[in-house]
Amino acid sequence: MDKIRVKGGNELSGEIKISAAKNSVLPIIAASILGNDKVKINNAPMLEDVYVICNVLEELGCNISLDKSSKSITVDSCNIKPINANNELVKKMRASFLIMGPMLSRLGYCKLSLPGGCNIGSRPIDLHLKGFKALGADIEIGHGYVEARAKKLIANRIYLDFPSVGATENIIMASVFAKGTTIIENAAEEPEIKDLADFLNSMGAMIDGAGRGKIIIEGVDSLKGTEHTPIYDRIEAGTFMIAGAITHSKIKVMGINEEHLRPVIEKLKESGVKIEVSEEEQSIVVDGRNIIKSVDIKTMPYPGFPTDMQAQMMSLLALANGVSVITETVFENRFMHVSELARMGANVKIDGRTALIEGVPKITGCEVKATDLRAGAALIIAGLSAEGETDVTDIYHIDRGYVDIEKKLRSIGADIERYSVD
Ligand code: UD1
């Protein structure tokens, strides 16, 4: 099993390049099966989660060519069959559930293993199913599976009780061929949803309003193939911005969209980090050489502060001047990193969904466990500023969502390496 070892204390400098957004690419690969011709995705991030969704589609009969050197993925779904998806693969990644909408739309059938709980919460799928039912699908749940069937999907008006990212995406994909006008209200507004809609529209879909709370989909008869370059990964960018801040360094993050990062930029500025954006170059210079001040944060659906940046921000605030409060409103159990940060010397108290972080002057390296993807990134970041060596274990979580994290950080001066242990 691999570990990542970080030796803290190096000042970082130079440029770091951001990959395309994992959370855009996963639904886009799932949506590729809606076309009647090949789909090509450019600049795809070569990540474990991306390989898993490609394998799920291959098992269903799709022909996928994944070229790691040119970072392109081509999906040919001519031979896709309405068979059960590979259970082991689906269980590996919750986002596999994103194939249900497009399968239902294209083949009128989909049976998937019910996603269980995960480290950050129970993560139900009731809103996805509410949407499918509203479009006319029959849903049966039993023996650990969810089975959806529909001879024909018909447009409808769907109100989401919570702006779920996955449910919004799944319902968009399920409704592209539904006769009439589908309206999704209280839809999630994350940039990755607009990216999915842009991709589907380039195939001939008629989706309006994606990226806002009300999305309108006019059903079309068919979709063609397309070529698409996904948006940059705002969470990877935010993670590296915090790496710059926590090491009191000045670095340039290349490949950003300022609007997508606004909530993170604003909080970093409030904590005393200097930020300079070049829209033309799509870059941000982060200067963390000032003292870092405490700030309060509440995670919210976009455009609020992203839950996927909460753990990394906690690493920074653990070393800030003063007491910060972080309230996690999106997932019910997303403080697993706290006990690991505490082993490094952070002073954090949890009360329900709130964490109270009293900044300390220094933290020290030790062996810590990545309990989920973003928690793992937070521990690497903490390690960059800790005294001595930090060994992060269970890094398969990190590999699900960060392309070559140690290579990228090493390129800007971090003392970080991956090594295998038997
Ligand atoms: C997506 C992202 C994940 C991010 C999350 C919130 C992908 C592949 N993953 O996950 O990185 O952390 O958005 O920004 O894009 N919920 C329900 N019923 C449902 C669906 C969700 O109650 O049917 C709840 C969840 O339990 C959770 C909240 O809604 O508490 C947010 O979940 P959701 O927005 O659906 O997240 P994901 O799409 O799973």
Side-chain angles (χ1 to χ4, degrees):
M1 209 197 278
D2 288 0
K3 285 186 185 185
I4 287 180
R5 175 168 294 164
V6 192
K7 208 165 169 189
N10 280 14
E11 190 176 327
L12 309 180
S13 66
E15 291 180 9
I16 196 159
K17 180 99 185 72
I18 299 307
S19 300
K22 164 184 89 76
N23 287 354
S24 261
V25 172
L26 296 179
I28 284 172
I29 292 175
S32 299
I33 66 172
L34 292 165
N36 54 18
D37 207 347
K38 281 184 194 161
V39 162
K40 187 171 178 210
I41 300 153
N42 299 316
N43 193 32
M46 294 296 146
L47 290 168
E48 276 311 310
D49 275 9
V50 171
Y51 303 147
V52 171
I53 200 141
C54 286
N55 289 341
V56 171
L57 293 189
E58 272 176 333
E59 293 274 329
L60 293 169
C62 293
N63 196 350
I64 309 245
S65 72
L66 189 146
D67 183 345
K68 287 189 181 172
S69 58
S70 68
K71 294 190 266 182
S72 70
I73 297 176
T74 307
V75 182
D76 179 350
S77 61
C78 307
N79 295 323
I80 193 165
K81 291 180 267 324
I83 52 171
N84 298 354
N86 180 309
N87 205 8
E88 288 315 307
L89 283 173
V90 171
K91 277 204 237 157
K92 239 181 169 173
M93 182 179 73
R94 185 187 149 83
S96 306
F97 202 71
L98 289 171
I99 67 166
M100 185 159 265
M103 285 283 283
L104 202 51
S105 209
R106 163 114 189 235
L107 302 166
Y109 179 77
C110 186
K111 182 173 175 183
L112 291 178
S113 167
L114 271 169
C118 67
N119 291 353
I120 60 173
S122 63
R123 299 180 93 170
I125 47 159
D126 55 321
L127 298 171
H128 301 240
L129 301 184
K130 176 181 172 177
F132 299 149
K133 278 185 201 157
L135 296 169
D138 288 324
I139 307 284
E140 266 182 58
I141 295 180
H143 306 283
Y145 285 90
V146 53
E147 195 168 13
R149 278 195 177 79
K151 282 211 174 72
K152 204 168 177 217
L153 292 166
I154 309 282
N156 204 343
R157 200 177 181 114
I158 300 154
Y159 176 84
L160 296 180
D161 308 330
F162 181 89
S164 152
V165 174
T168 303
E169 292 167 344
N170 237 337
I171 297 168
I172 291 176
M173 294 187 281
S175 63
V176 283
F177 301 136
K179 202 172 162 50
T181 309
T182 295
I183 299 177
I184 311 174
E185 286 168 306
N186 200 25
E189 299 179 24
E190 270 68 1
E192 293 76 21
I193 290 176
K194 165 120 186 1
D195 204 17
L196 172 66
D198 288 346
F199 166 77
L200 286 167
N201 285 343
S202 76
M203 296 169 86
M206 286 177 65
I207 304 165
D208 190 32
R212 297 198 294 273
K214 183 173 174 182
I215 301 177
I216 301 166
I217 304 130
E218 296 292 341
V220 294
D221 292 332
S222 65
L223 294 182
K224 54 185 186 344
T226 192
E227 195 167 328
H228 184 80
T229 304
I231 57 171
Y232 291 116
D233 195 314
R234 63 196 164 98
I235 306 301
E236 188 195 16
T239 303
F240 290 138
M241 286 163 70
I242 294 180
I246 203 168
T247 53
H248 299 293
S249 307
K250 188 173 176 183
I251 60 165
K252 193 186 222 183
V253 181
M254 303 289 295
I256 57 105
N257 178 319
E258 185 199 6
E259 202 186 322
H260 299 171
L261 277 163
R262 186 66 54 78
V264 177
I265 292 174
E266 288 308 314
K267 280 295 160 187
L268 284 178
K269 277 187 179 166
E270 207 181 310
S271 71
V273 179
K274 283 196 194 139
I275 304 264
E276 247 176 73
V277 179
S278 161
E279 275 183 43
E280 200 189 336
E281 201 183 43
Q282 296 191 303
S283 70
I284 281 191
V285 173
V286 179
D287 182 347
R289 289 174 297 183
N290 280 346
I291 286 176
I292 304 295
K293 292 177 283 187
S294 58
V295 290
D296 292 345
I297 287 169
K298 197 179 213 178
T299 66
M300 303 276 270
Y302 189 86
F305 190 88
T307 173
D308 284 352
M309 285 300 304
Q310 181 256 106
Q312 303 90 309
M313 199 68 186
M314 189 182 288
S315 294
L316 179 67
L317 298 178
L319 288 159
N321 213 350
V323 177
S324 308
V325 178
I326 295 185
T327 310
E328 171 60 57
T329 75
V330 180
F331 290 108
E332 77 265 30
N333 185 25
R334 211 172 189 178
F335 285 138
M336 302 281 281
H337 45 283
V338 169
S339 50
E340 301 302 303
L341 284 174
R343 299 186 65 237
M344 298 178 77
N347 184 358
V348 185
K349 288 186 190 68
I350 304 288
D351 183 8
R353 290 191 163 204
T354 302
L356 196 78
I357 304 126
E358 198 171 333
V360 292
K362 72 164 189 185
I363 53 174
T364 52
C366 60
E367 184 168 294
V368 284
K369 184 174 163 183
T371 49
D372 69 59
L373 166 58
R374 306 303 171 188
L379 294 171
I380 289 183
I381 283 177
L384 292 172
S385 66
E387 190 182 285
E389 283 180 354
T390 301
D391 277 346
V392 184
T393 68
D394 292 40
I395 58 170
Y396 57 90
H397 286 296
I398 303 172
D399 292 335
R400 288 185 34 224
Y402 288 91
V403 179
D404 294 336
I405 191 166
E406 77 282 10
K407 287 189 192 142
K408 287 192 184 186
L409 284 169
R410 208 161 42 230
S411 77
I412 53 168
D415 188 341
I416 178 169
E417 60 175 319
R418 174 186 295 254
Y419 65 100
S420 297
V421 272
D422 297 325

